[in-house]
């Protein structure tokens, strides 16, 4: 395995306390490299970073229209949300529109990802349900899709269920990378995840953003989902979350999505560029700093946009008294120095 | 900066999804290398991994005897605890013995590190106090020490307060490494932390464990703290925490202590060995796996001990339905393959 460069540093005082290595690819819709750092050809699990691709069948199947899903609901179908009440309620409403109950969700249950959401739920004396799972919107979308296709949603997380076959077909078409059982893992929410090279993931997002190299229906489906997320960035993540903050600032200028274990996929549609990155160690904090740094590097930003992006690319490290004791920052390789 | 080897791998299906690099040193009390991987000479912040050294003045000053601190209280003085009720109550009792209030704590307030402890506190309708800070026991120990020395504890977190000067002197004597302002950072709990090479940290713990190369008083103080932790491993961390589980299994055979940003320091007293490791990326999950793997490599374990250590060195990765979808494991460099 080649050694990927340091992408992000964590300082304390004058010392670099920790450092995160990783790889990334920024490519255009023809697949031409714009920026490649590290090993962009090693297959990596995109995890939740491709949720918008996993949500394409929801639109393409006609399910979104048939059940009259709102933009907020479509945004939630692309989300890794923090389990706040509005997220859980929205997932429940999506299911209700297809005549289904939360018990149909096969994603499993966990306490909300959001720390304050967890404390609020505990304060209320309640326990979490599958609706609080950060993937409940995506799963509600899967169930709506199955219902619209007149397919029994039961078992929709299995690789051979029509839903996962559709998702896999969309991924293979967009990435141009054949998905093999050998490179298949099971995601946190029970669906299959297939390892794909970063370069191929970046190309998929370049094509989606540019609307080229794919059918008109697919281009329209992505445009609809992207617009939904841009208008409802809260739905795709939550209070204080990176993706929400970045897209509240940039709206349709950037489509970004985190994946577990240090992954980001993104499209900069006005530039026709797609991006995929993976921190080798799986650190979300470093993936976020890298994503923000690359956003600032490629997009020409207004003052206000630039301030939002800078705050995300150089977040302070504070001690328990709130004092700034260090910072996270893009390393030289990432800053283009 | 030299490239440290991969110490720990995280798998999903048949794929290595993430990998953690790091450095470590295992040395004897004379400072001779037993095992060195990666750059063991680069100064790193030990953070909370040296809490037992920071607690030496509590014993050596006579404060522990003067206030009749119990073994459980001494263990808490060495702890990064999970903020469970018994931890908070014990810290309050230590302060009360010195005639002080929780308001004297200068460590700051945060919700308990333990997820269930946080939910229980929220369920009760309460808010966290400085007693829930994972360092509250150490800080209570600082305050007891100041009081026993007839020094005003106010400002005890500052580098020039007698408490931090005592801590620094103990660290310098044990590590043999001069602590400079240039290599000083501010820890999460507001006290100074000085970057020290792993090899020097390992030597300090080898000396402490072997009881050689230090005064009889210091050897006795460490032996007392070590025995306290071995008898009260819950106090040093908490329910489900690595350090508690490992020392519940091994008692006085291993003294191990986690530090923030992927650090461990440890002593294997029966072997006269000290250990220090740092995951480059700061990941606690990898530092734990590495610590467990090294414990299994150096100590000859009974079946029961071996099972406990194996469970810690190869923890499964589960999805939200509880299904095992991957594992964490020591990489070849660490396993000695």
């Amino acid at each position: 395995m080649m050694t990927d460069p340091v992408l992000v540093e964590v300082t304390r005082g004058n010392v670099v306390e920790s450092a995160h290595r990783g790889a990334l690819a920024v490519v255009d819709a023809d697949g031409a490299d714009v920026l490649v750092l590290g090993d962009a050809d090693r297959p990596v699990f995109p995890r939740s970073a491709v949720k918008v691709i996993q949500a394409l069948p929801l639109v393409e199947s006609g399910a979104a229209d048939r059940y009259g899903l709102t933009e907020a609901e479509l945004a939630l179908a692309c989300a890794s949300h923090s389990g706040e009440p509005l997220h859980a309620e929205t997932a429940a409403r999506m299911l209700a529109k297809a005549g289904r109950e939360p018990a149909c969700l096969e994603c499993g249950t966990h306490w909300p990802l959001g720390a304050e959401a967890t404390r609020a739920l505990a304060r209320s004396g309640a326990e979490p349900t599958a609706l609080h799972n950060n993937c409940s919107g995506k799963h509600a979308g899967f169930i709506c899709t199955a219902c619209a296709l007149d397919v029994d949603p039961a078992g929709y997380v299995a690789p051979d269920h029509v839903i996962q076959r559709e998702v896999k077909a969309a991924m293979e078409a967009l990435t141009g990378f054949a998905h093999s059982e050998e490179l298949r893992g099971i995601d946190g929410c029970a669906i299959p995840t297939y390892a794909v090279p970063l370069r191929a993931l970046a190309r998929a997002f370049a094509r989606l953003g540019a609307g080229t190299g794919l059918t008109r229906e697919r281009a329209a489906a992505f445009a609809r989902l992207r617009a939904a997320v841009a208008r409802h960035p809260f739905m795709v993540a939550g209070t204080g979350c990176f993706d929400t903050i970045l897209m509240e600032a940039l709206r349709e200028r950037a489509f970004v999505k985190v994946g577990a274990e240090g992954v980001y996929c993104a499209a900069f549609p006005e530039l026709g560029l797609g991006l995929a990155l993976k921190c080798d160690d799986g650190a979300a904090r470093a993936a976020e700093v890298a994503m923000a740094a690359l956003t600032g590097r490629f997009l020409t930003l207004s003052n206000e946009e630039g301030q939002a992006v800078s705050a995300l690319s150089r977040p302070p490290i504070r001690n328990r008294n709130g004092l700034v004791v260090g910072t996270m920052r893009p390393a030289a390789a990432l800053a283009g120095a």
Side-chain angles (χ1 to χ4, degrees), chain A:
Chain A
M1 187 161 76
M2 74 178 273
T3 302
D4 290 329
V6 171
L7 298 181
V8 174
E9 293 174 333
V10 184
T11 71
R12 182 173 299 265
N14 299 317
V15 177
V16 174
E17 180 167 27
S18 299
H20 297 272
R21 294 177 182 274
L24 64 91
V26 181
V27 307
D28 68 20
D30 297 325
D33 290 351
V34 174
L35 175 67
V36 171
L37 294 174
D39 183 357
D41 293 315
R42 183 171 53 91
V44 303
F45 289 122
R47 308 289 303 273
S48 290
V50 293
K51 269 180 176 159
V52 71
I53 297 176
Q54 295 168 335
L56 289 171
L58 176 64
V59 177
E60 293 173 357
S61 69
D65 288 329
R66 175 160 165 187
Y67 299 121
L69 297 187
T70 64
E71 283 196 319
E73 290 161 356
L74 289 177
L76 195 76
C78 304
S80 298
H81 65 72
S82 51
E84 295 174 67
L86 187 55
H87 297 126
E89 291 156 19
T90 304
R93 207 165 50 234
M94 291 170 72
L95 290 166
K97 286 182 173 179
R100 300 286 166 164
E101 298 288 329
C104 295
L105 292 169
E106 299 180 6
C107 48
T109 296
H110 63 82
W111 283 88
L113 290 190
E116 179 46 36
T118 278
R119 295 193 295 261
L121 193 63
R123 249 180 235 121
S124 77
E127 294 287 319
T129 70
L131 294 170
H132 297 95
N133 184 306
N134 75 91
C135 302
S136 66
K138 175 176 77 175
H139 282 249
F142 287 154
I143 291 169
C144 288
T145 306
C147 292
L149 294 172
D150 281 327
V151 169
D152 183 358
Y156 69 87
V157 298
D160 59 353
H161 190 281
V162 64
I163 292 296
Q164 299 310 326
R165 290 207 312 265
E166 289 289 321
V167 166
K168 182 178 167 218
M171 279 291 294
E172 288 185 313
L174 284 163
T175 61
F177 186 76
H179 285 29
S180 69
E181 274 190 46
E182 181 58 26
L183 293 179
R184 188 170 77 202
I186 301 172
D187 212 326
C189 67
I191 71 163
T193 179
Y194 296 85
V196 178
L198 291 171
R199 201 179 244 120
L201 290 167
R203 186 169 47 203
F205 278 83
R207 284 176 175 166
L208 286 169
T212 58
L214 61 174
T215 64
R216 196 168 298 182
E217 291 70 25
R218 181 146 289 173
F222 176 73
R224 184 169 169 188
L225 291 168
R226 175 185 153 214
V229 168
R231 278 172 218 152
H232 299 274
F234 171 81
M235 281 296 170
V236 88
T239 305
C241 295
F242 180 97
D243 292 5
T244 294
I245 294 169
L246 187 73
M247 290 194 283
E248 276 176 350
L250 298 181
R251 299 288 165 175
E252 292 213 41
R253 299 195 67 196
F255 178 91
V256 306
K257 183 66 188 70
V258 68
E261 291 292 329
V263 176
Y264 257 97
C265 286
F268 300 129
E270 72 196 54
L271 304 174
L273 299 180
L275 177 159
L277 70 85
K278 159 88 182 171
C279 291
D280 295 349
D281 54 69
R285 67 179 186 178
E288 291 178 354
V289 167
M291 184 67 241
L294 291 163
T295 301
R297 180 164 166 174
F298 284 99
L299 288 180
T300 303
L301 302 174
S302 71
N303 277 350
E304 199 178 344
E305 290 169 338
Q307 280 168 18
V309 170
S310 290
L312 294 170
S313 68
R314 292 182 176 264
I317 309 277
R318 294 177 189 276
N319 74 3
R320 303 301 190 174
N321 290 318
L323 188 74
V324 174
V325 296
T327 189
M328 296 192 62
R329 66 187 184 199
L334 199 60

